[in-house]
């Protein structure tokens, strides 16, 4: 229907928005204490009944899922209009299928049903990612994504098969029902980390993520980064909830993987020149922060440190919700920038704050939130992690946990560097290209969803108690604490002081901004040329580029970013010949390890092609020789 006219696309968007609103109401009802209902379908397949249900753990993932899906449905009407884009019908169909599959993943309580929804989600994402099939880059990253996602699915097949062999049914075990003394339990956990960790973008299984998120349509990138990555986190949390007690090494392993992902992810982001690739690499960092919280909680559970458990889980769950808001906001903002300038290369933008007066402050809100700066929501989740690590790392006998604080500080500093570079190069200064000079604002249909998400970032930051109420039932459910115990620990967190500080900071920012604008209006204006550093005619090319801004940090982190520099060779200085310097960031795991390995394997197997001649008598000779060898080996 969406292919026939714009009305079909609009009707589809309206249906998705209505479904999202109803789903959000249901989630809020569940969080307010209304008991959940279960639905069972007795399908004819020999895998047990298909059971659906939503518990506290499900709701924490459904909340941002419904919110972002509704916003993206409205945004897509203007960003990918059916009147101009022949692929709008395909995109609309798979976008709805993608969202529905994620909802079923979160609500499925049967292993086979879960895998079916998981595969539909993965394939829908592939068809969405490869919407622009004519691009060779899109085809390449689509193939990489397909290989990565099905490698992870194979690990999940092993995991669910082992679970089936252990409990005797494909139905999910009850919470804390399995004992780790079962020999296969460790294998279940490892395969879950591989299968779900790859989908979450956890290093070193992240190699598919930067290319896939960068080359998908921007609103698809918003759903992939803001929502689909969380399905991997959900899968790991759901699997771990099956066991009554987890080993302490698992907590430290997840903590180390999270810290590694956070540092390496933001280091990769700092070196990027591609707007969407930068945002994609930043998602690896944020997933790492989520896993740091989960690791802290698992260590706390094993060491009977309830404060560390509550702070770790609360920080992880709050960051899951927050990342869904500000990362979706930033990807939708990237779509507006690409729509207005026709490029996604940061070094070709500049001076867009005046040309995009609505997008600019909304993008700034998302940039500040993702840096974890107050008074926005990104600060709230990390605040819990800081409190948990510092308090229990020093007071309780877990001094190593205190190292999380400097890791988070390092990640936060690199995030500030990265997003100051991004916002400064894109929105400030002078246009660096003709496309940027003619940049224009998007319609209200595109900026409206961004306002909704930016408002969510601001409200969650100004009223962190709302986020705490959202995650408290989930924390108690997952940690095995009673509501009273969970509320008692939560009561020790200085939320009132945090709220007052955020409100006061916002008031100061608004007051300073208002005073500055008033001074601009009342002060006499004069015009003059910008100081040109000794040059008579400054040009936009003399401004800092994204590469030069972060060059020092990228040099220090060269082993992670692995930049590929091609320096000019001056063979004929007189007369001077043309010379060119190129700078390209590479991805260590994919470009330096996996692709060379696959090339070697491909070269080795290429020799086997010589035995394929296409001549029947040669094949008959092969069969005869094989039979002779088998007969000799047998006797």
């Amino acid at each position: 229907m969406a292919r026939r006219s714009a009305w079909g696309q609009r009707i589809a968007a309206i249906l998705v928005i209505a479904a999202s609103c109803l789903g959000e109401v249901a989630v809020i009802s569940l969080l307010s204490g209304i008991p959940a209902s279960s639905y069972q379908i007795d399908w004819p397949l020999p895998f047990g009944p298909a059971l659906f249900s939503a518990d506290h753990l499900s709701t924490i993932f459904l909340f941002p899922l419904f919110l972002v899906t509704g916003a993206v449905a409205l945004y897509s009407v203007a960003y990918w209009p059916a009147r101009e884009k022949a692929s709008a019908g395909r995109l609309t169909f798979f976008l709805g299928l993608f969202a529905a599959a994620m909802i079923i993943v979160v609500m499925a309580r049967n292993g086979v049903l879960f895998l079916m929804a998981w595969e539909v989600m993965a394939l829908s994402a592939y068809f969405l990612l490869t919407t622009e099939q004519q691009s060779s880059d899109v085809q390449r990253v689509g193939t990489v994504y397909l290989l990565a996602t099905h490698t992870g699915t194979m690990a999940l097949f092993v995991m669910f098969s082992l679970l089936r062999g252990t409990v005797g049914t494909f139905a999910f075990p009850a919470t804390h029902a399995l004992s780790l003394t079962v020999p296969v339990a460790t294998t279940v956990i490892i395969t879950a980390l591989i299968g779900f960790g790859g989908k979450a973008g956890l290093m070193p299984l992240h190699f598919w993520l930067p290319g896939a998120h960068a080359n998908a349509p921007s609103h698809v990138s918003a759903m992939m980064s803001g929502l689909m990555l969380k399905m991997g986190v959900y899968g790991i949390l759901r699997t771990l909830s099956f066991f009554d007690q987890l080993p302490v090494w698992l907590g430290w392993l997840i903590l180390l993987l999270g810290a590694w992902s956070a540092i390496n992810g933001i280091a990769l982001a700092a070196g990027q020149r591609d707007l969407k690739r930068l945002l994609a690499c930043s998602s690896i960092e944020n997933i790492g922060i989520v896993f740091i919280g989960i690791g802290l909680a698992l260590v706390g559970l094993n060491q009977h440190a309830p404060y560390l458990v509550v702070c770790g889980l609360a920080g992880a769950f709050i960051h899951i919700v927050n990342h869904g808001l500000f990362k979706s906001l930033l990807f939708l903002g990237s779509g507006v920038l690409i729509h207005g300038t026709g490029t996604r290369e940061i070094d070709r933008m500049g001076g867009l704050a005046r040309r995009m007066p609505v997008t600019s402050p909304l993008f700034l809100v998302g940039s500040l939130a993702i840096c974890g700066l107050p008074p926005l929501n990104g600060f709230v989740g990390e605040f819990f992690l800081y409190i948990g690590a510092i308090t229990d790392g020093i007071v309780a006998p877990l001094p190593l946990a205190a190292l999380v604080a400097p890791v988070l500080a390092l990640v936060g500093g690199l995030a500030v560097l990265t997003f100051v570079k991004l916002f400064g190069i894109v929105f400030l200064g002078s246009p660096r290209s003709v496309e940027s000079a003619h940049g224009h604002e998007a319609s209200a249909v595109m900026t409206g969803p961004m306002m909704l998400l930016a408002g969510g970032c601001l409200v969650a930051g100004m009223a962190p108690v709302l986020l705490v109420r959202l995650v408290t039932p989930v924390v108690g459910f997952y940690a095995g604490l009673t509501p009273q115990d969970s509320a008692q620990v939560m009561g020790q967190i200085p939320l009132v002081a945090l709220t007052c500080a955020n409100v006061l900071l916002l008031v100061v920012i608004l007051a300073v901004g208002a005073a500055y604008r008033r001074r601009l209006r009342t002060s006499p204006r004069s015009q003059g040329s910008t100081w040109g550093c000794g040059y008579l005619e400054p040009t936009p090319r003399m401004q800092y580029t994204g590469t030069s801004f972060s060059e020092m940090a990228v040099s220090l982190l060269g082993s992670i970013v692995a930049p590929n520099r091609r320096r000019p060779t001056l063979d004929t200085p007189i007369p001077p010949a043309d010379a060119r310097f190129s700078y390209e960031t590479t991805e260590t795991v994919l470009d330096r390890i996996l692709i060379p390995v696959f090339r070697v394997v491909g070269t080795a197997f290429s020799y086997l092609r010589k035995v394929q001649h296409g001549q029947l008598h040669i094949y008959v000779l092969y069969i005869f020789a094989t039979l002779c060898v088998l007969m000799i080996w047998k006797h």
Side-chain angles (χ1 to χ4, degrees), residues 78 104 158 160 172 183 216 230 268 276 293 309 395 400 463 475 521 564 579 587 599 602 606:
I104 296 176
V158 174
F160 281 107
F172 281 2
K230 312 305 186 316
L268 285 174
K276 292 182 67 180
V309 176
V395 178
L400 287 178
V475 171
R521 285 198 302 267
N564 187 10
E587 208 290 300
R599 281 178 181 161
S606 65

Side-chain angles (χ1 to χ4, degrees), residues 251-528:
W252 288 116
L253 175 64
I254 291 179
L255 183 57
L256 288 175
L257 288 175
W260 186 25
S261 298
I263 296 173
N264 284 267
I266 195 61
L268 285 174
Q272 300 300 321
R273 294 183 301 173
D274 185 303
L275 169 62
K276 292 182 67 180
R277 187 174 282 269
L278 185 151
L279 296 176
C281 292
S282 168
S283 292
I284 301 170
E285 170 230 342
N286 285 276
I287 289 296
I289 293 174
V290 171
F291 276 95
I292 286 176
I294 296 172
L296 280 178
L298 293 179
V299 171
L301 275 172
N302 192 275
Q303 300 296 318
H304 306 291
Y307 198 77
L308 190 61
V309 176
V310 170
C311 287
L313 285 177
F317 290 137
I318 288 175
H319 206 74
I320 287 170
V321 176
N322 287 339
H323 184 249
L325 294 176
F326 54 64
K327 186 47 67 72
S328 302
L329 167 63
L330 289 172
F331 266 117
L332 294 186
S334 72
V336 173
L337 291 172
I338 295 169
H339 185 268
T341 63
T343 180
R344 66 184 201 206
E345 190 175 342
I346 297 171
D347 290 345
R348 295 183 62 81
M349 298 184 185
L352 291 174
R354 292 183 178 179
R355 292 163 181 79
M356 297 183 173
V358 178
T359 301
S360 170
L362 296 176
F363 203 92
L364 180 61
V365 169
S367 300
L368 294 176
I370 203 170
C371 291
L373 296 176
L376 294 165
N377 60 339
F379 177 72
V380 180
E382 295 190 26
F383 178 75
F384 275 83
L385 298 182
Y386 273 113
I387 289 241
I390 293 174
T391 304
D392 258 11
I394 294 175
V395 178
L398 291 170
L400 287 178
L403 294 177
V404 167
V407 169
L408 288 174
L410 173 63
V411 171
L414 288 173
V416 170
L417 167 75
T418 303
F419 283 90
V420 165
K421 158 191 153 179
L422 175 60
F423 188 84
I425 301 299
V426 170
F427 289 100
L428 305 182
S430 303
R432 294 173 174 79
S433 65
V434 176
E435 298 92 337
S436 182
H438 292 87
H440 56 83
E441 188 60 272
S443 68
V445 178
M446 291 174 67
T447 55
M450 292 178 63
M451 290 181 187
L452 173 68
L453 297 173
C457 293
L458 188 59
V459 170
M462 300 300 295
V465 67
L466 295 177
L467 285 173
V468 171
R469 286 184 181 176
L470 183 70
V471 304
T472 297
V474 194
V475 171
F477 161 81
Y478 204 82
L481 300 174
T482 64
Q484 293 77 16
D485 292 339
S486 182
Q488 183 180 3
V489 178
M490 282 290 191
Q492 300 176 31
I493 309 295
L495 288 177
V496 176
L498 178 61
T499 304
C500 293
N502 280 348
V503 171
L504 181 62
L505 182 59
L506 181 63
V507 170
V508 170
I509 292 173
L510 293 177
V512 171
Y516 178 71
R517 291 179 65 86
R518 182 180 179 184
R519 182 174 180 180
L520 283 181
R521 285 198 302 267
T522 56
S523 299
R525 296 185 179 183
S526 61
Q527 291 186 344

Side-chain angles (χ1 to χ4, degrees), residues 34-337:
I34 294 178
S37 299
S38 298
Y39 298 93
Q40 180 173 312
I41 300 175
D42 291 322
W43 56 9
L45 300 177
F47 306 113
L51 184 63
F52 299 87
S53 182
D55 55 14
H56 291 302
L57 184 60
S58 305
T59 54
I60 206 68
F61 291 88
L62 288 172
F63 180 79
L65 201 158
F66 285 122
L67 181 64
V68 173
T69 299
V72 165
L74 177 61
Y75 181 93
S76 64
V77 174
Y79 182 67
W80 209 272
R83 288 180 178 174
E84 301 175 9
K85 304 276 189 179
S87 57
R90 159 184 166 154
L91 201 62
T92 303
F93 172 76
F94 282 110
L95 202 63
L97 192 63
F98 183 48
M102 285 192 285
I103 294 170
I104 296 176
V105 163
V106 175
M107 297 184 65
R109 294 294 179 270
N110 179 289
V112 176
L113 176 64
F114 181 95
L115 285 174
M116 288 180 177
W118 185 268
E119 193 62 10
V120 172
M121 175 188 73
L123 292 178
S124 300
Y126 169 74
F127 288 117
L128 290 169
L129 159 65
T130 56
T131 299
E132 297 178 293
Q133 302 175 7
Q134 65 278 12
S135 169
S136 58
D137 285 342
V138 170
Q139 294 175 5
R140 175 179 176 269
V141 299
T143 303
V144 171
Y145 166 76
L146 210 57
L147 291 172
T149 190
H150 282 96
T151 302
T153 304
M154 289 168 59
L156 296 184
F157 272 113
V158 174
M159 188 203 86
F160 281 107
S161 299
L162 292 173
L163 275 178
R164 167 68 175 80
T166 302
V167 300
T169 174
F170 281 107
F172 281 2
T175 305
H176 308 310
L178 299 182
S179 172
L180 199 62
T181 56
V182 179
V184 297
T186 303
T187 310
V188 169
I189 292 173
I190 295 299
T191 50
L193 278 177
I194 295 172
F196 293 125
K199 184 64 72 181
L202 191 66
M203 279 194 169
L205 306 171
H206 69 288
F207 55 88
W208 63 272
L209 194 154
H213 290 197
N215 287 279
S218 294
H219 59 303
V220 174
S221 302
M223 292 190 67
M224 291 178 72
S225 184
L227 303 176
M228 189 182 75
L229 298 185
K230 312 305 186 316
M231 296 300 106
V233 180
Y234 168 79
I236 290 176
L237 287 170
R238 177 64 69 187
T239 304
L240 297 183
S241 72
F242 298 153
F243 298 93
D244 61 344
Q245 188 174 6
L246 295 166
V248 69
W249 64 262
L250 179 63
W252 288 116
L253 175 64
I254 291 179
L255 183 57
L256 288 175
L257 288 175
W260 186 25
S261 298
I263 296 173
N264 284 267
I266 195 61
L268 285 174
Q272 300 300 321
R273 294 183 301 173
D274 185 303
L275 169 62
K276 292 182 67 180
R277 187 174 282 269
L278 185 151
L279 296 176
C281 292
S282 168
S283 292
I284 301 170
E285 170 230 342
N286 285 276
I287 289 296
I289 293 174
V290 171
F291 276 95
I292 286 176
I294 296 172
L296 280 178
L298 293 179
V299 171
L301 275 172
N302 192 275
Q303 300 296 318
H304 306 291
Y307 198 77
L308 190 61
V309 176
V310 170
C311 287
L313 285 177
F317 290 137
I318 288 175
H319 206 74
I320 287 170
V321 176
N322 287 339
H323 184 249
L325 294 176
F326 54 64
K327 186 47 67 72
S328 302
L329 167 63
L330 289 172
F331 266 117
L332 294 186
S334 72
V336 173
L337 291 172

Side-chain angles (χ1 to χ4, degrees), residues 598-610:
F598 275 103
R599 281 178 181 161
V600 171
V601 173
T603 302
F605 277 93
S606 65
Y607 291 103
L608 293 178
R609 295 176 186 169
K610 296 179 180 179

